[in-house]
Amino acid sequence: MKAIDHIGESKYTAKQAQGWKPGRPVKGIHSFETLNTVFDRAITYTNWLAVEYPEVRLYEHVDHEMTAEFLSEKAEACQANTVQTLVSTLRKLQEGLYAMNWIKSDIVPADWQTDGDDHQPRGPYAPDEAAAIWKQVDGRDPELGQALRFILSSGARIDEVLHLRADKVFVDEKRVELLDEGGKTRNIRVLDSKGLSELDLSRPFVYLPGHGARQWKDRLERYVRQACDELDIQRRGVHGFRATAACEFVDIKRTLGYTEVEARRELAIWLGHNPHRTEVTYAYVPHARALSDLRELSEKIGQA
């Protein structure tokens, strides 16, 4: 926090120097109260990362999807204003990390919004929403459309999709091996094996370009945002497709006779979380959600 510590300096002067406009944050920390709040929330987030992503030791390996999971978990249990304060303090943490040159890209979702008095997490897209967004993106860029379809089938994070290796796709077994940024791997069974047979396995990585990996991710996220706006669907980011897949996974397990607790434990493993902390699954599959209608998703995409 020392990198952005401006305690004792005039915040008014800082606003003038930065060309501040209403609705925008003022760079730097100008009070002990803000400093203490940011420090406390940073410790809370760091401890959460240590539990959920023990292999991640550096902030440069943290991405905004991890933070979205953390915020979604908090949004399930906290008031909207509490979550908004948390978002603001994490952005201050991000500002300090940039100042120290410890990160190269944002760790806090740029489009994160709390839902007023609703207090619901960003959560999943409804089946018809996910199908409509996928169709829009697929029409603009078939490779990105295929990537979204893979997320809907595997629940993979965007970075895990980007680094998917061709030799880790086992079509006959309906399984894939995913690698997260912390170096942790997990071998999972996909929900829909049809998509695996459509992947181009002729090169080392299915999606990773020779250069411009950051641009590939940005383009996917941008196309999803644009599709949401055009279709008048609430933005939930690419992460929303991971949550939609999570809902279908739980629905399948429940149909097979698993209890909700058992299904959520299996979901935590499938998503790459600690199986003993099933509370994180509520960021993907909210309380009292009707899951049976999510079966429509695979049918809609399969017919498109």
Side-chain angles (χ1 to χ4, degrees), residues 9-241:
E9 299 177 17
S10 169
K11 191 172 183 179
Y12 175 75
T13 301
K15 287 182 177 181
Q16 291 183 313
Q18 296 171 23
W20 179 84
K21 295 181 179 179
R24 292 176 56 186
V26 180
K27 293 182 180 180
I29 294 176
H30 295 81
S31 72
F32 284 109
E33 180 181 1
T34 300
L35 177 64
N36 292 334
T37 301
V38 173
F39 182 79
D40 288 344
R41 300 301 186 276
I43 293 297
T44 299
Y45 182 45
T46 302
N47 289 339
W48 181 88
L49 286 171
V51 173
E52 296 298 332
Y53 297 94
E55 294 80 13
V56 175
R57 303 297 179 86
L58 301 173
Y59 270 111
E60 66 178 331
H61 294 151
V62 175
D63 63 34
H64 59 79
E65 287 200 357
M66 296 177 187
T67 309
E69 292 172 8
F70 171 72
L71 292 173
S72 293
E73 182 179 334
K74 295 301 180 184
E76 180 67 23
C78 301
Q79 298 290 319
N81 59 348
T82 300
V83 178
Q84 190 57 55
T85 298
L86 183 56
V87 173
S88 298
T89 54
L90 288 180
R91 284 180 176 150
K92 281 296 179 186
L93 170 63
Q94 176 177 274
E95 182 184 334
L97 293 172
Y98 270 126
M100 294 295 293
N101 200 31
W102 286 356
I103 58 174
K104 302 298 182 183
S105 58
D106 289 357
I107 64 170
V108 181
D111 60 348
W112 180 273
Q113 295 179 352
T114 53
D115 298 327
D117 295 329
D118 194 13
H119 310 320
Q120 290 297 308
R122 298 174 83 190
Y125 292 107
D128 57 339
E129 292 176 335
I133 296 167
W134 167 79
K135 189 173 182 179
Q136 287 277 90
V137 174
D138 189 66
R140 288 176 177 155
D141 189 323
E143 181 180 271
L144 296 182
Q146 185 189 71
L148 286 180
R149 186 168 183 164
F150 180 76
I151 294 173
L152 286 170
S153 182
S154 66
R157 304 177 180 92
I158 188 171
D159 275 303
E160 292 171 340
V161 175
L162 182 60
H163 293 93
L164 178 65
R165 286 176 46 175
D167 63 346
K168 300 301 181 182
V169 177
F170 311 103
V171 180
D172 294 339
E173 300 175 25
K174 302 178 182 180
R175 306 184 75 86
V176 295
E177 183 177 293
L178 302 175
L179 174 69
D180 66 25
E181 284 201 347
K184 181 181 178 182
T185 62
R186 68 181 186 281
N187 192 300
I188 64 167
R189 187 180 180 87
V190 298
L191 301 177
D192 179 13
S193 60
K194 180 181 177 182
L196 295 185
S197 62
E198 299 174 353
L199 299 178
D200 181 2
L201 306 180
S202 63
R203 51 188 182 181
F205 291 91
V206 177
Y207 296 108
L208 187 66
H211 55 83
R214 179 71 255 178
Q215 287 78 5
W216 186 92
K217 292 167 58 177
D218 288 344
R219 194 166 70 253
L220 176 58
E221 292 166 341
R222 184 173 67 254
Y223 282 7
V224 168
R225 287 197 300 270
Q226 290 174 350
C228 287
D229 293 345
E230 292 167 1
L231 297 167
D232 195 25
I233 295 173
Q234 180 184 356
R235 291 182 181 182
R236 299 180 185 274
V238 176
H239 192 263
F241 283 83

Side-chain angles (χ1 to χ4, degrees), residues 234-276:
Q234 180 184 356
R235 291 182 181 182
R236 299 180 185 274
V238 176
H239 192 263
F241 283 83
R242 175 167 153 89
T244 302
C247 288
E248 186 172 354
F249 181 92
V250 170
D251 188 29
I252 291 171
K253 292 297 181 181
R254 295 284 280 147
T255 301
L256 292 174
Y258 286 68
T259 66
E260 182 176 357
V261 172
E262 292 170 338
R264 287 185 181 276
R265 186 178 297 117
E266 292 291 316
L267 174 62
I269 296 171
W270 193 65
L271 293 174
H273 290 294
N274 185 330
H276 301 296

